[in-house]
């Protein structure tokens, strides 16, 4: 539950900042998204490091860099799902784009992010034994 809660908070920060940067701040879409993505990743990393995986005892810049890479991979998975649906299958309606990118893509991306965060960033996460137990 901690991973989901932190993810929702990070998503809210990303969305709110992107909306503000595109609106009142009048930045271009790519610059606004890059800044909001970095802010959302930072919030997610800090939330996971200080909350969900607080027992992992990560140090240095490496865990943050790997965390950002895992999140970029998740974003690419979402884009891939959208591209396959839109361009490969010809499902071009707004609803189809939403279902493939924000629905199906989000499920695959979240699974990848959870695995990557748990396995590559916060190794062991303070656990003793298997993750099931």
């Amino acid at each position: 539950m901690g991973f989901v809660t932190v993810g929702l908070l990070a998503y809210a920060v990303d969305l709110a900042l992107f909306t503000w940067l595109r609106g009142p701040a009048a930045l271009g879409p790519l610059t606004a998204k890059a800044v909001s993505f970095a802010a959302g990743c930072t919030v997610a990393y800090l939330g996971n490091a200080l909350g969900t995986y607080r027992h992992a005892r990560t140090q240095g810049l490496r865990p943050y860099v790997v965390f950002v890479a895992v999140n970029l991979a998740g974003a690419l998975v979402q884009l891939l799902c959208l591209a396959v649906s839109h361009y490969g299958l010809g499902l071009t309606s707004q609803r189809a784009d939403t279902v493939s990118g924000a629905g199906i893509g989000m499920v695959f991306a979240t699974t990848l992010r959870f695995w990557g965060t748990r396995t590559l960033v916060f190794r062991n996460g303070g656990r003793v034994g298997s993750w099931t137990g």
Side-chain angles (χ1 to χ4, degrees):
M1 279 312 289
F3 184 82
V4 172
T5 302
V6 168
L8 289 172
L9 178 62
Y11 176 74
V13 167
D14 185 340
L15 181 61
L17 186 57
F18 178 75
T19 302
W20 182 78
L21 290 172
R22 282 293 291 141
L27 288 180
L30 297 180
T31 303
K33 188 58 189 168
V35 170
S36 70
F37 178 80
C41 275
T42 301
V43 167
Y45 177 78
L46 290 173
N48 281 306
L50 299 174
T52 308
Y53 298 104
R54 65 187 167 276
H55 303 296
R57 306 224 194 293
T58 59
Q59 294 179 355
L61 189 58
R62 181 207 170 274
Y64 180 71
V65 171
V66 174
F67 186 83
V68 170
V70 166
N71 278 274
L72 282 171
L76 290 175
V77 165
Q78 283 183 268
L79 287 174
L80 181 62
C81 287
L82 177 59
V84 166
S85 171
H86 192 93
Y87 299 106
L89 301 176
L91 303 171
T92 58
S93 71
Q94 183 176 356
R95 178 176 288 155
D97 287 350
T98 301
V99 168
S100 62
I104 296 166
M106 181 64 85
V107 169
F108 287 135
T110 299
T111 302
L112 174 67
R113 287 179 179 121
F114 179 72
W115 174 83
T117 298
R118 186 178 187 97
T119 306
L120 303 173
V121 180
F122 299 107
R123 297 177 189 183
N124 286 341
R127 294 183 313 271
V128 178
S130 77
W131 69 274
T132 58

